[in-house]
Amino acid sequence: MRFFTNILIAFCLTIPNLIFSQTTGNSAVSITLPVVTLLDIEPTGNFTLNFTAPTEAGLSVVNPAVNTTKWINYTSAIAPAGLTRRVTASVNQVIPGVNIRLQAGTASGSGGGTLGTSSGQVTLTTTPVTIITGIGGAFTGNGANNGHQLTISLVPNTYTNLSARTNTPVVITYTITE
């Protein structure tokens, strides 16, 4: 009988442990998301815009075809309660008598988040001009056909200031900033 009493006592001691056993747990996780500001132009490389001489006296020079081969890609993670970002563009030199125009298109492609808004067509100078505003936490996707397509064109502004040139390099600098 003592054997059955010992088994009964062991059983009675085990039941509360089964009933009150822990079935959940937790652990702390430390997460870091850095402030990120990255921008590039895709595809890499240079391009050429050439005016064409008219074929008939009295006609103006023929403007080069616009270039639409370049895309702005960016990644942005802003600080908590941080300001949205913008993209500016400037040139290292202006060409007398010629306007260098640039327009960033509407964001497209495989990106997500709060993508920026185009400022429309602007004329570039040596002073940075805003071309995209309102960038929040976002990414555009990488490469051509992702981000904002750029349309770059040349048009004469004052014929009096035009003078013949050959292979004059103009560098367009893009900057992403708050």
Side-chain angles (χ1 to χ4, degrees):
M1 180 80 151
R2 187 162 173 103
F3 176 73
F4 289 113
T5 305
N6 287 341
I7 289 179
L8 183 60
I9 290 172
F11 182 70
C12 289
L13 292 174
T14 333
I15 292 290
N17 287 339
L18 293 174
I19 293 173
F20 297 110
S21 66
Q22 184 177 356
T23 59
T24 63
N26 61 37
S27 63
V29 177
S30 177
I31 298 173
T32 302
L33 175 60
V35 173
V36 178
T37 311
L38 297 170
L39 176 137
D40 71 354
I41 306 300
E42 297 285 347
T44 60
N46 301 328
F47 60 93
T48 302
L49 297 174
N50 292 320
F51 286 98
T52 305
T55 57
E56 183 69 36
L59 298 177
S60 65
V61 295
V62 178
N63 297 344
V66 299
N67 181 289
T68 58
T69 62
K70 301 296 181 181
W71 291 76
I72 287 184
N73 297 163
Y74 52 79
T75 301
S76 171
I78 59 176
L83 300 173
T84 58
R85 295 201 165 93
R86 64 190 172 104
V87 176
T88 61
S90 62
V91 290
N92 64 324
Q93 65 174 322
V94 294
I95 307 297
V98 176
N99 283 341
I100 303 168
R101 294 185 179 158
L102 178 122
Q103 181 169 352
T106 302
S108 63
S110 63
T114 305
L115 297 166
T117 303
S118 172
S119 299
Q121 188 179 68
V122 299
T123 299
L124 297 178
T125 66
T126 55
T127 302
V129 178
T130 300
I131 62 169
I132 301 170
T133 60
I135 301 168
F139 69 101
T140 59
N142 187 37
N145 301 312
N146 288 297
H148 299 264
Q149 185 176 28
L150 299 174
T151 301
I152 303 162
S153 60
L154 298 179
V155 294
N157 63 19
T158 308
Y159 268 84
T160 321
N161 296 334
L162 288 179
S163 59
R165 301 178 168 268
T166 304
N167 296 324
T168 303
V170 175
V171 177
I172 303 173
T173 301
Y174 303 90
T175 306
I176 186 169
T177 186
E178 289 185 339

